[in-house]
Amino acid sequence: MYVERYGTGARTYFGLHGWSGGHSTFAPLVKHLPPEATLLSPDLPGYGASRPGRPANLDDVAKELAAAFDRVDSRTFTLIGNCSGALLGLAALEWAPTLQPRVERLVLIDPFAYNPWYFQLFMVPLLGKLAYYSTFANPLGRVVTNLSLRGHRAKETDLTHSFRGIDHAVSYRYLEILASIGSIERWARIVLETDLIHGARTFSAIKRSMGMWQRMWPHARVHTLASAGHLPILESTEELSRLLFR
């Protein structure tokens, strides 16, 4: 996988972007990166500058991520998962449990704990793929979708911007992979220092997910960013950076 490196400090943060993002998802945080820190941000398999092609299944993605974690220079690192990147990071730690001791902290940003009904619609045979392409691959569909989601974002942000110029076959394949995960209880044994961060105006499924994550991990700290919707990295950059980099 292609991995962008920001900073040269000894404290390492490894950030995984969400469903339709890329390594630039974390770029807004760079101006708040402490001098003693390094932020590593890959393009997930099939995205951006990483090797093209659709991943076969969850194990395929987990294996590549685990290999990337293993190549981190520092002995320990903080793993950041944005939206669905949180699930894929946990899948990698499940696939390679020997890497878990190297993760000193988990930070999950607006992570789903289950597959909400609107994602399940995209999995309906034939009609689901048509609905996906009409919603996210079509420019007019993206405009309509972003307008309909204005209650879950800041006025100046676009929830569908990251779908421009991506390989939609890869994006749809990730939807299928995420739908195959099932219950988050599969990760109940991954017990690490954990921060759960979400926007106050995010989707109701994310808010419900916060309770599900915390029931599984009672030790996890939950942080609500008052000015953010589903895009805390863009909408509450400074406040999020304080939580991330402490």
Side-chain angles (χ1 to χ4, degrees):
M1 292 189 304
Y2 173 79
V3 180
E4 184 76 15
R5 185 184 188 100
Y6 303 100
T8 57
R11 284 171 46 208
T12 302
Y13 298 82
F14 198 105
L16 299 178
H17 67 80
W19 171 29
S20 61
H23 70 269
S24 61
T25 291
F26 293 93
L29 302 174
V30 174
K31 63 182 179 181
H32 301 288
L33 191 68
E36 69 273 12
T38 292
L39 173 60
L40 302 175
S41 180
D43 287 324
L44 290 172
Y47 282 105
S50 289
R51 186 177 67 246
R54 293 179 295 171
N57 49 44
L58 181 62
D59 281 349
D60 191 27
V61 177
K63 181 179 180 180
E64 288 206 50
L65 285 177
F69 295 166
D70 197 39
R71 290 193 294 270
V72 173
D73 294 338
S74 57
R75 185 178 62 83
T76 61
F77 61 94
T78 293
L79 178 58
I80 307 168
N82 184 55
C83 191
S84 57
L87 307 181
L88 298 174
L90 289 167
L93 295 181
E94 176 187 31
W95 193 88
T98 56
L99 288 173
Q100 292 179 29
R102 294 188 60 197
V103 179
E104 60 183 357
R105 179 176 164 229
L106 281 175
V107 181
L108 309 185
I109 304 170
D110 245 53
F112 287 96
Y114 67 99
N115 204 26
W117 64 268
Y118 38 85
F119 287 154
Q120 294 177 33
L121 286 178
F122 294 131
M123 295 296 100
V124 175
L126 298 179
L127 290 177
K129 187 170 286 190
L130 177 62
Y132 167 84
Y133 276 84
S134 299
T135 303
F136 297 111
N138 182 288
L140 180 58
R142 290 197 295 268
V143 170
V144 172
T145 301
N146 190 54
L147 286 173
S148 68
L149 297 175
R150 58 186 176 272
H152 302 295
R153 60 176 175 84
K155 184 178 180 180
E156 66 276 9
T157 55
D158 183 347
L159 280 167
T160 62
H161 177 79
S162 60
F163 288 92
R164 301 176 189 175
I166 65 170
D167 185 334
H168 286 282
V170 170
S171 176
Y172 187 79
R173 182 62 187 140
Y174 269 91
L175 262 187
E176 295 176 317
I177 288 172
L178 292 166
S180 73
I181 287 175
S183 172
I184 61 169
E185 291 295 329
R186 64 190 292 168
W187 299 314
R189 295 183 180 180
I190 299 178
V191 180
L192 300 166
E193 181 184 353
T194 303
D195 288 287
L196 303 167
I197 304 172
H198 72 97
R201 294 182 292 110
T202 191
F203 304 118
S204 58
I206 294 287
K207 294 177 182 178
R208 182 186 173 201
S209 292
M210 289 297 112
M212 296 171 68
W213 289 110
Q214 208 169 27
R215 282 192 293 275
M216 183 176 76
W217 292 330
H219 64 281
R221 298 178 291 263
V222 177
H223 310 271
T224 303
L225 303 180
S227 60
H230 185 56
L231 301 174
I233 293 175
L234 285 174
E235 297 167 333
S236 292
T237 311
E238 188 172 352
E239 186 178 1
L240 176 63
S241 297
R242 285 198 298 268
L243 290 171
L244 284 178
F245 305 127
R246 300 200 291 206

